[in-house]
Amino acid sequence: MELRMEMRNATCGYDGKPVVKKATFSVSEGEVLCLLGPNGSGKTTLFKTILGLLKLQNGEILLDGVDTRTWPRRKIAQVIGYVPQAHAPTFPFDVVDMVLMGRTAHLGTFATPSEEDKRIALEAIEKLGISYLKDRVYTEISGGERQLVLIARALAQQPRILVMDEPTTSLDFGNQMLVLKHIEYLSNLNIGVVMSSHFPNHAFSCASKVMLLNKGVVFGLGSPEETVTEENLKKLYGVDVKIITASIGNGQQARVCVPVTKRAAMESFTDAKSAACYG
């Protein structure tokens, strides 16, 4: 049965002070919901509330129609996984042991991982194509590789919904594309993904739905094509952009967001002036 997570009129915040107000959205298994918003808009606060780390101030969070406030923390962890936006490694665990930690939600008190748990961890590593890292020391691999290990750890948790807080933060262009490719792969595994990003192009790359959040208020929710528009991005970030459709071969097209710089504006003015003179 397909699982559906819903937030209904959810207000989230700290010490009684609301940060996110009356947020309503849903995500089902196999969907990717990308949350776009500037710094301080409430994205991380929203995620902490979904994970049960912050108490919901008002509204509801439902999993298959059941209010999660009636669920123990362990049960929520068995359904919802989490990939943080950054992770500063402290202890020199092997990669395979880091991934095995994803099985914690399924272990009893004082229990140790079984052979089945180890098999699931190794399978998660293999699915993400990082088997070559399994015996490496986690503190000695690159930032992009660590991010894939964290995704493997969440995958070993066997969640049905995966929350990813800015999963491409601090990654170079190549590793950003690699992580986005794996997010698309997770959706093909029928895992629902809720991710945040600072880059509108990421929504075009892998999202099936986009939610716009500014100053704690949702002001856009829908498909990437109808939500990530020049007008909405101007409201969201306060900058002028153009949405361009480009051919990428084999009859495929891609939409990209391009900021309008002063130089680009001057070139457009020059082109328009030339057209007027010679037209």
Side-chain angles (χ1 to χ4, degrees):
M1 179 179 176
E2 183 181 87
L3 182 137
R4 179 182 177 88
M5 184 189 77
E6 297 178 82
M7 292 194 84
R8 294 181 180 173
N9 294 314
T11 298
C12 320
Y14 302 86
D15 300 323
K17 182 179 179 180
V19 175
V20 177
K21 304 158 193 151
K22 297 184 178 180
T24 296
F25 67 91
S26 67
V27 62
S28 300
E29 290 175 299
E31 287 186 327
V32 177
L33 171 65
C34 182
L35 178 55
L36 294 177
N39 291 329
S41 60
K43 301 186 297 295
T44 299
T45 301
L46 183 68
F47 287 169
K48 286 182 177 179
T49 306
I50 291 173
L51 296 165
L53 303 176
L54 286 176
K55 184 178 179 181
L56 185 67
Q57 294 184 354
N58 203 359
E60 298 176 302
I61 302 176
L62 308 174
L63 287 168
D64 276 347
V66 179
D67 194 324
T68 58
R69 283 174 291 192
T70 66
W71 289 25
R73 183 77 58 84
R74 178 179 293 273
K75 185 175 180 181
I76 293 175
Q78 290 173 354
V79 177
I80 303 177
Y82 177 55
V83 177
Q85 62 178 269
H87 182 253
T90 304
F91 299 105
F93 293 108
D94 288 344
V95 164
V96 66
D97 292 327
M98 280 294 297
V99 177
L100 191 56
M101 292 177 191
R103 299 300 301 159
T104 302
H106 299 274
L107 301 178
T109 306
F110 305 119
T112 58
S114 66
E115 290 302 315
E116 176 67 7
D117 292 317
K118 294 175 183 177
R119 183 194 66 78
I120 292 171
L122 289 172
E123 186 178 80
I125 290 172
E126 184 178 349
K127 282 181 178 178
L128 288 177
I130 55 173
S131 295
Y132 66 96
L133 291 175
K134 68 183 180 67
D135 296 320
R136 295 276 303 277
V137 178
Y138 179 72
T139 54
E140 297 175 0
I141 62 179
S142 72
E145 290 171 332
R146 284 201 299 269
Q147 196 67 13
L148 292 177
V149 171
L150 293 178
I151 295 173
R153 184 178 68 177
L155 191 57
Q157 192 175 329
Q158 295 183 315
R160 298 174 70 182
I161 301 291
L162 185 57
V163 174
M164 309 180 80
D165 193 358
E166 297 180 23
T168 61
T169 295
S170 302
L171 299 184
D172 62 40
F173 179 74
N175 279 312
Q176 286 185 30
M177 295 303 102
L178 187 60
V179 169
L180 293 175
K181 176 183 176 183
H182 281 95
I183 290 172
E184 185 176 11
Y185 171 71
L186 292 172
S187 70
N188 291 333
L189 293 178
N190 213 33
I191 295 173
V193 177
V194 184
M195 62 173 282
S196 60
S197 178
H198 282 303
F199 304 102
N201 286 334
H202 291 179
F204 289 136
S205 296
C206 63
S208 48
K209 295 196 295 189
V210 179
M211 186 168 81
L212 307 179
L213 185 67
N214 193 17
K215 297 180 180 179
V217 177
V218 176
F219 76 90
L221 178 63
S223 70
E225 292 74 21
E226 64 187 11
T227 307
V228 185
T229 65
E230 296 170 1
E231 180 181 0
N232 283 344
L233 292 178
K234 171 71 172 179
K235 292 178 182 177
L236 195 62
Y237 297 108
V239 295
D240 293 315
V241 300
K242 290 293 183 183
I243 305 296
I244 298 172
T245 301
S247 174
I248 56 176
N250 297 323
Q252 294 182 302
Q253 291 187 323
R255 289 164 62 86
V256 293
C257 174
V258 180
V260 178
T261 62
K262 184 177 180 180
R263 178 178 176 181
M266 287 298 295
E267 289 175 349
S268 297
F269 173 76
T270 301
D271 290 342
K273 187 176 180 181
S274 297
C277 291
Y278 295 102

Coordinates of all heavy atoms in Angstrom, one line a residue, residues 84-152:
P84 N 21.2 14.8 6.7 CA 21.5 16.2 7.1 C 22.2 17.0 6.0 O 22.8 16.4 5.1 CB 22.4 16.1 8.3 CG 23.1 14.8 8.1 CD 22.1 13.9 7.4
Q85 N 22.2 18.3 6.1 CA 22.8 19.2 5.1 C 24.3 19.2 5.2 O 25.0 19.5 4.2 CB 22.3 20.6 5.2 CG 22.6 21.3 6.5 CD 22.0 22.8 6.5 OE1 22.8 23.7 6.1 NE2 20.8 23.0 6.9
A86 N 24.8 18.9 6.3 CA 26.3 18.8 6.5 C 26.6 17.9 7.7 O 25.8 17.8 8.6 CB 26.8 20.2 6.8
H87 N 27.7 17.2 7.6 CA 28.1 16.3 8.7 C 29.6 16.4 8.9 O 30.3 16.1 8.0 CB 27.7 14.9 8.3 CG 28.0 13.9 9.4 ND1 29.0 13.0 9.3 CD2 27.4 13.7 10.6 CE1 29.0 12.2 10.4 NE2 28.1 12.6 11.2
A88 N 29.9 16.9 10.1 CA 31.4 17.0 10.4 C 31.8 15.7 11.1 O 31.4 15.4 12.2 CB 31.6 18.1 11.4
P89 N 32.6 14.8 10.4 CA 33.0 13.5 11.0 C 33.9 13.7 12.2 O 34.8 14.6 12.2 CB 33.7 12.9 9.8 CG 34.2 14.0 8.9 CD 33.2 15.1 9.1
T90 N 33.6 12.9 13.2 CA 34.4 13.0 14.4 C 35.2 11.7 14.6 O 36.5 11.8 14.9 CB 33.5 13.3 15.6 OG1 32.8 14.4 15.4 CG2 34.4 13.5 16.9
F91 N 34.6 10.6 14.6 CA 35.2 9.3 14.9 C 35.5 8.6 13.6 O 34.7 8.6 12.6 CB 34.3 8.5 15.7 CG 34.0 9.1 17.1 CD1 32.8 9.6 17.3 CD2 35.0 9.2 18.1 CE1 32.5 10.2 18.6 CE2 34.8 9.8 19.3 CZ 33.5 10.3 19.5
P92 N 36.7 8.0 13.5 CA 37.1 7.3 12.2 C 36.5 5.9 12.0 O 37.2 4.9 11.9 CB 38.7 7.2 12.4 CG 38.8 7.1 13.9 CD 37.7 7.9 14.5
F93 N 35.2 5.9 11.9 CA 34.5 4.7 11.5 C 34.7 4.3 10.1 O 34.9 5.1 9.2 CB 33.0 4.8 11.7 CG 32.5 5.0 13.2 CD1 32.1 6.3 13.6 CD2 32.6 4.0 14.1 CE1 31.7 6.4 14.9 CE2 32.2 4.2 15.4 CZ 31.7 5.4 15.8
D94 N 34.8 3.0 9.8 CA 34.8 2.5 8.5 C 33.4 2.9 7.8 O 32.4 3.0 8.5 CB 35.0 1.0 8.4 CG 36.4 0.6 8.7 OD1 37.3 1.5 8.7 OD2 36.6 -0.6 9.0
V95 N 33.4 3.1 6.5 CA 32.2 3.4 5.8 C 31.1 2.4 6.1 O 29.9 2.8 6.3 CB 32.5 3.6 4.3 CG1 31.2 3.6 3.5 CG2 33.2 4.9 4.0
V96 N 31.4 1.1 6.0 CA 30.4 0.1 6.2 C 29.7 0.2 7.6 O 28.5 0.0 7.8 CB 30.9 -1.3 6.0 CG1 32.0 -1.7 7.0 CG2 29.8 -2.3 5.9
D97 N 30.5 0.6 8.6 CA 30.0 0.8 9.9 C 29.1 2.0 10.0 O 28.0 2.0 10.7 CB 31.1 0.9 11.0 CG 31.8 -0.4 11.1 OD1 31.2 -1.5 11.0 OD2 33.1 -0.4 11.4
M98 N 29.4 3.1 9.3 CA 28.6 4.3 9.2 C 27.2 3.9 8.6 O 26.2 4.4 9.2 CB 29.2 5.4 8.4 CG 30.3 6.2 9.1 SD 29.7 7.2 10.5 CE 28.6 8.3 9.6
V99 N 27.2 3.2 7.6 CA 26.0 2.8 6.9 C 25.2 1.9 7.8 O 23.9 2.0 7.9 CB 26.2 2.1 5.6 CG1 24.9 1.7 4.9 CG2 27.0 3.1 4.6
L100 N 25.8 1.0 8.5 CA 25.2 0.0 9.4 C 24.4 0.7 10.5 O 23.4 0.2 11.1 CB 26.2 -0.9 10.0 CG 25.7 -2.1 10.8 CD1 24.8 -3.0 9.9 CD2 26.9 -3.0 11.3
M101 N 24.9 2.0 10.9 CA 24.1 2.7 11.9 C 22.7 3.0 11.5 O 21.9 3.3 12.4 CB 24.9 4.0 12.2 CG 26.2 3.8 12.9 SD 27.1 5.4 13.1 CE 28.7 4.8 13.6
G102 N 22.4 3.0 10.2 CA 21.1 3.2 9.7 C 20.1 2.1 10.2 O 18.9 2.3 10.2
R103 N 20.6 1.0 10.7 CA 19.7 -0.1 11.2 C 19.3 0.2 12.7 O 18.5 -0.6 13.2 CB 20.5 -1.4 11.1 CG 20.9 -1.8 9.7 CD 19.6 -1.9 8.8 NE 18.7 -2.9 9.3 CZ 17.4 -2.9 8.9 NH1 16.9 -2.0 8.1 NH2 16.6 -3.9 9.4
T104 N 19.8 1.2 13.3 CA 19.5 1.4 14.7 C 18.1 1.4 15.1 O 17.6 0.9 16.1 CB 20.2 2.8 15.2 OG1 21.6 2.7 14.9 CG2 19.9 3.0 16.7
A105 N 17.2 2.1 14.2 CA 15.8 2.2 14.5 C 15.1 0.8 14.5 O 14.0 0.7 15.0 CB 15.1 3.0 13.4
H106 N 15.8 -0.2 13.9 CA 15.2 -1.5 13.9 C 15.7 -2.5 14.9 O 15.4 -3.7 15.0 CB 15.4 -2.1 12.5 CG 14.8 -1.3 11.4 ND1 13.5 -1.5 11.0 CD2 15.3 -0.4 10.6 CE1 13.2 -0.6 10.0 NE2 14.3 0.1 9.7
L107 N 16.7 -2.0 15.8 CA 17.3 -2.8 16.8 C 16.6 -2.6 18.2 O 16.2 -1.5 18.5 CB 18.8 -2.6 16.9 CG 19.6 -2.8 15.6 CD1 21.1 -2.4 15.9 CD2 19.5 -4.2 15.2
G108 N 16.6 -3.6 19.0 CA 16.1 -3.5 20.3 C 17.2 -2.8 21.2 O 18.3 -2.7 20.8
T109 N 16.8 -2.5 22.4 CA 17.7 -1.9 23.4 C 18.8 -2.9 23.7 O 18.6 -4.1 23.9 CB 17.0 -1.6 24.7 OG1 15.9 -0.7 24.4 CG2 17.9 -0.9 25.7
F110 N 20.1 -2.4 23.6 CA 21.3 -3.2 23.8 C 21.5 -4.3 22.8 O 22.4 -5.1 22.9 CB 21.3 -3.8 25.2 CG 21.1 -2.9 26.3 CD1 20.0 -3.0 27.2 CD2 22.0 -1.8 26.5 CE1 19.8 -2.1 28.2 CE2 21.8 -0.9 27.5 CZ 20.7 -1.0 28.4
A111 N 20.7 -4.3 21.7 CA 20.9 -5.3 20.7 C 22.1 -4.9 19.8 O 22.4 -3.8 19.6 CB 19.6 -5.5 19.8
T112 N 22.7 -5.9 19.1 CA 23.8 -5.7 18.2 C 23.3 -6.0 16.8 O 22.4 -6.9 16.6 CB 25.0 -6.5 18.5 OG1 24.7 -7.9 18.5 CG2 25.6 -6.1 19.9
P113 N 23.8 -5.4 15.7 CA 23.4 -5.7 14.4 C 23.5 -7.2 14.0 O 24.6 -7.8 14.4 CB 24.3 -4.9 13.5 CG 24.7 -3.8 14.4 CD 24.9 -4.4 15.7
S114 N 22.5 -7.7 13.4 CA 22.5 -9.1 13.0 C 23.2 -9.3 11.6 O 23.5 -8.3 11.0 CB 21.1 -9.7 12.9 OG 20.4 -9.0 11.9
E115 N 23.3 -10.5 11.1 CA 23.9 -10.7 9.8 C 22.9 -10.1 8.7 O 23.4 -9.6 7.7 CB 24.1 -12.2 9.5 CG 25.2 -12.8 10.3 CD 26.6 -12.1 10.0 OE1 26.8 -11.9 8.8 OE2 27.3 -11.8 11.0
E116 N 21.6 -10.2 9.0 CA 20.6 -9.6 8.1 C 20.8 -8.0 8.1 O 20.7 -7.5 7.0 CB 19.2 -9.9 8.6 CG 18.1 -9.3 7.8 CD 18.0 -9.8 6.3 OE1 18.8 -10.7 6.0 OE2 17.2 -9.2 5.6
D117 N 21.1 -7.4 9.2 CA 21.3 -6.0 9.2 C 22.6 -5.6 8.4 O 22.6 -4.7 7.6 CB 21.5 -5.5 10.7 CG 20.2 -5.6 11.5 OD1 19.2 -5.2 11.0 OD2 20.3 -6.0 12.7
K118 N 23.6 -6.5 8.5 CA 24.8 -6.2 7.8 C 24.6 -6.4 6.3 O 25.1 -5.7 5.4 CB 25.9 -7.2 8.2 CG 26.4 -6.9 9.7 CD 27.4 -7.9 10.2 CE 27.7 -7.7 11.6 NZ 28.7 -8.7 12.1
R119 N 23.7 -7.4 5.9 CA 23.4 -7.6 4.5 C 22.7 -6.4 3.9 O 23.0 -5.9 2.8 CB 22.5 -8.9 4.4 CG 22.2 -9.2 2.9 CD 21.1 -10.2 2.8 NE 19.8 -9.7 3.3 CZ 19.0 -8.9 2.6 NH1 19.4 -8.5 1.4 NH2 17.9 -8.5 3.1
I120 N 21.7 -5.9 4.7 CA 21.0 -4.7 4.3 C 21.9 -3.5 4.1 O 21.7 -2.7 3.1 CB 19.8 -4.4 5.3 CG1 18.8 -5.5 5.2 CG2 19.2 -3.0 5.0 CD1 17.7 -5.4 6.3
A121 N 22.8 -3.3 5.0 CA 23.8 -2.2 4.9 C 24.6 -2.3 3.6 O 24.8 -1.3 2.9 CB 24.6 -2.1 6.1
L122 N 25.1 -3.5 3.4 CA 26.0 -3.7 2.2 C 25.2 -3.6 0.9 O 25.7 -3.1 -0.1 CB 26.6 -5.1 2.3 CG 27.7 -5.3 3.3 CD1 28.1 -6.8 3.4 CD2 28.9 -4.5 3.0
E123 N 23.9 -3.9 1.0 CA 23.0 -3.8 -0.2 C 22.8 -2.3 -0.5 O 22.8 -1.9 -1.7 CB 21.7 -4.5 0.1 CG 20.7 -4.5 -1.1 CD 19.5 -5.2 -0.8 OE1 18.6 -4.7 -0.2 OE2 19.3 -6.4 -1.2
A124 N 22.6 -1.5 0.6 CA 22.4 -0.1 0.4 C 23.7 0.6 -0.2 O 23.6 1.4 -1.1 CB 22.1 0.6 1.7
I125 N 24.9 0.1 0.2 CA 26.1 0.6 -0.4 C 26.2 0.3 -1.8 O 26.6 1.1 -2.7 CB 27.3 0.0 0.4 CG1 27.4 0.7 1.8 CG2 28.6 0.3 -0.3 CD1 28.4 0.0 2.7
E126 N 25.8 -1.0 -2.2 CA 25.9 -1.4 -3.5 C 24.9 -0.7 -4.4 O 25.2 -0.3 -5.6 CB 25.6 -2.9 -3.6 CG 25.8 -3.5 -5.0 CD 25.5 -5.0 -5.0 OE1 25.5 -5.6 -3.9 OE2 25.4 -5.6 -6.1
K127 N 23.7 -0.4 -3.9 CA 22.7 0.3 -4.7 C 23.2 1.7 -5.1 O 22.8 2.2 -6.2 CB 21.4 0.4 -3.9 CG 20.6 -0.9 -3.9 CD 19.3 -0.8 -3.2 CE 18.5 -2.1 -3.2 NZ 17.2 -2.0 -2.5
L128 N 23.9 2.3 -4.2 CA 24.4 3.7 -4.5 C 25.7 3.7 -5.3 O 26.3 4.7 -5.5 CB 24.5 4.5 -3.2 CG 23.2 4.9 -2.6 CD1 23.4 5.6 -1.3 CD2 22.4 5.7 -3.5
G129 N 26.2 2.5 -5.6 CA 27.4 2.4 -6.4 C 28.7 2.8 -5.7 O 29.7 3.3 -6.3
I130 N 28.8 2.7 -4.4 CA 29.9 3.1 -3.6 C 30.6 1.9 -2.9 O 31.2 2.1 -1.8 CB 29.6 4.2 -2.6 CG1 28.4 3.8 -1.7 CG2 29.3 5.5 -3.4 CD1 28.2 4.8 -0.6
S131 N 30.5 0.7 -3.5 CA 31.1 -0.5 -2.8 C 32.6 -0.3 -2.7 O 33.2 -0.9 -1.7 CB 30.8 -1.7 -3.7 OG 29.4 -2.0 -3.7
Y132 N 33.2 0.5 -3.5 CA 34.7 0.7 -3.4 C 35.1 1.5 -2.2 O 36.2 1.5 -1.8 CB 35.1 1.5 -4.7 CG 34.6 2.9 -4.8 CD1 35.4 3.9 -4.4 CD2 33.4 3.1 -5.4 CE1 34.9 5.2 -4.5 CE2 32.9 4.4 -5.5 CZ 33.7 5.5 -5.0 OH 33.2 6.8 -5.1
L133 N 34.1 2.1 -1.5 CA 34.3 2.8 -0.3 C 34.1 2.1 1.0 O 34.5 2.5 2.1 CB 33.4 4.1 -0.3 CG 33.7 5.2 -1.3 CD1 32.6 6.3 -1.1 CD2 35.0 5.8 -1.1
K134 N 33.5 0.9 0.9 CA 33.0 0.3 2.1 C 34.0 0.0 3.2 O 33.7 0.1 4.4 CB 32.3 -1.0 1.8 CG 33.1 -2.2 1.3 CD 32.2 -3.4 0.9 CE 33.0 -4.6 0.4 NZ 33.9 -5.1 1.4
D135 N 35.3 -0.2 2.8 CA 36.3 -0.5 3.8 C 37.2 0.8 4.1 O 38.2 0.7 4.8 CB 37.2 -1.6 3.4 CG 36.4 -3.0 3.3 OD1 35.6 -3.2 4.2 OD2 36.6 -3.7 2.3
R136 N 36.8 1.9 3.5 CA 37.6 3.1 3.7 C 37.2 3.8 5.0 O 36.1 3.5 5.6 CB 37.3 4.1 2.5 CG 37.8 3.7 1.2 CD 39.3 4.0 1.0 NE 39.5 5.4 1.2 CZ 39.4 6.3 0.2 NH1 38.9 6.0 -1.0 NH2 39.6 7.6 0.4
V137 N 38.0 4.6 5.5 CA 37.7 5.4 6.8 C 36.9 6.6 6.4 O 37.2 7.4 5.5 CB 39.0 5.8 7.5 CG1 38.6 6.6 8.7 CG2 39.8 4.6 7.9
Y138 N 35.7 6.8 7.1 CA 34.7 7.8 6.7 C 35.4 9.2 6.8 O 35.0 10.1 6.0 CB 33.5 7.7 7.6 CG 32.5 8.7 7.4 CD1 31.6 8.7 6.3 CD2 32.2 9.8 8.3 CE1 30.6 9.6 6.1 CE2 31.3 10.7 8.1 CZ 30.5 10.6 7.0 OH 29.5 11.6 6.8
T139 N 36.2 9.4 7.8 CA 36.8 10.7 7.9 C 37.9 11.1 6.9 O 38.4 12.2 6.8 CB 37.5 10.9 9.3 OG1 38.5 9.8 9.5 CG2 36.5 10.8 10.4
E140 N 38.2 10.1 6.0 CA 39.3 10.3 5.0 C 38.8 10.3 3.6 O 39.6 10.3 2.7 CB 40.3 9.2 5.2 CG 41.0 9.2 6.6 CD 42.0 8.0 6.7 OE1 42.1 7.2 5.8 OE2 42.6 7.9 7.8
I141 N 37.5 10.3 3.4 CA 36.9 10.4 2.1 C 36.4 11.8 1.8 O 36.3 12.6 2.7 CB 35.8 9.4 1.8 CG1 34.6 9.6 2.8 CG2 36.4 7.9 2.0 CD1 33.5 8.7 2.6
S142 N 36.1 12.1 0.5 CA 35.8 13.5 0.1 C 34.4 13.8 0.6 O 33.6 12.9 1.0 CB 35.8 13.6 -1.4 OG 34.7 12.9 -2.0
G143 N 34.0 15.1 0.6 CA 32.7 15.6 1.0 C 31.6 15.0 0.1 O 30.6 14.6 0.7
G144 N 31.8 14.8 -1.2 CA 30.8 14.2 -2.0 C 30.6 12.8 -1.7 O 29.5 12.3 -1.7
E145 N 31.7 12.1 -1.4 CA 31.6 10.7 -1.0 C 30.9 10.5 0.3 O 30.1 9.6 0.5 CB 33.0 10.0 -1.0 CG 33.6 9.9 -2.4 CD 35.1 9.5 -2.3 OE1 35.8 9.8 -1.3 OE2 35.5 8.8 -3.3
R146 N 31.2 11.4 1.3 CA 30.5 11.3 2.6 C 29.0 11.5 2.4 O 28.2 10.9 3.1 CB 31.1 12.4 3.5 CG 32.4 12.0 4.1 CD 32.7 12.8 5.4 NE 32.8 14.2 5.2 CZ 33.9 14.9 4.9 NH1 35.0 14.3 4.8 NH2 33.8 16.2 4.8
Q147 N 28.6 12.4 1.5 CA 27.2 12.7 1.3 C 26.5 11.4 0.8 O 25.4 11.1 1.2 CB 27.0 13.8 0.3 CG 25.6 14.4 0.4 CD 25.2 15.1 1.7 OE1 26.1 15.4 2.5 NE2 24.0 15.4 1.9
L148 N 27.2 10.7 -0.1 CA 26.6 9.4 -0.6 C 26.5 8.4 0.5 O 25.6 7.6 0.5 CB 27.4 8.9 -1.8 CG 27.4 9.8 -3.1 CD1 28.3 9.2 -4.2 CD2 25.9 9.9 -3.6
V149 N 27.5 8.4 1.4 CA 27.5 7.4 2.5 C 26.3 7.7 3.4 O 25.6 6.8 3.9 CB 28.8 7.5 3.3 CG1 28.7 6.7 4.6 CG2 30.0 7.0 2.4
L150 N 26.0 9.0 3.6 CA 24.9 9.4 4.5 C 23.6 9.0 3.8 O 22.6 8.6 4.5 CB 24.9 10.9 4.7 CG 26.0 11.4 5.6 CD1 25.9 13.0 5.7 CD2 26.1 10.8 7.0
I151 N 23.5 9.1 2.5 CA 22.3 8.6 1.8 C 22.2 7.1 1.9 O 21.1 6.6 2.1 CB 22.3 9.1 0.3 CG1 22.3 10.6 0.2 CG2 21.2 8.4 -0.5 CD1 22.5 11.1 -1.2
A152 N 23.3 6.4 1.8 CA 23.3 4.9 2.0 C 22.9 4.6 3.4 O 22.1 3.6 3.6 CB 24.7 4.4 1.7

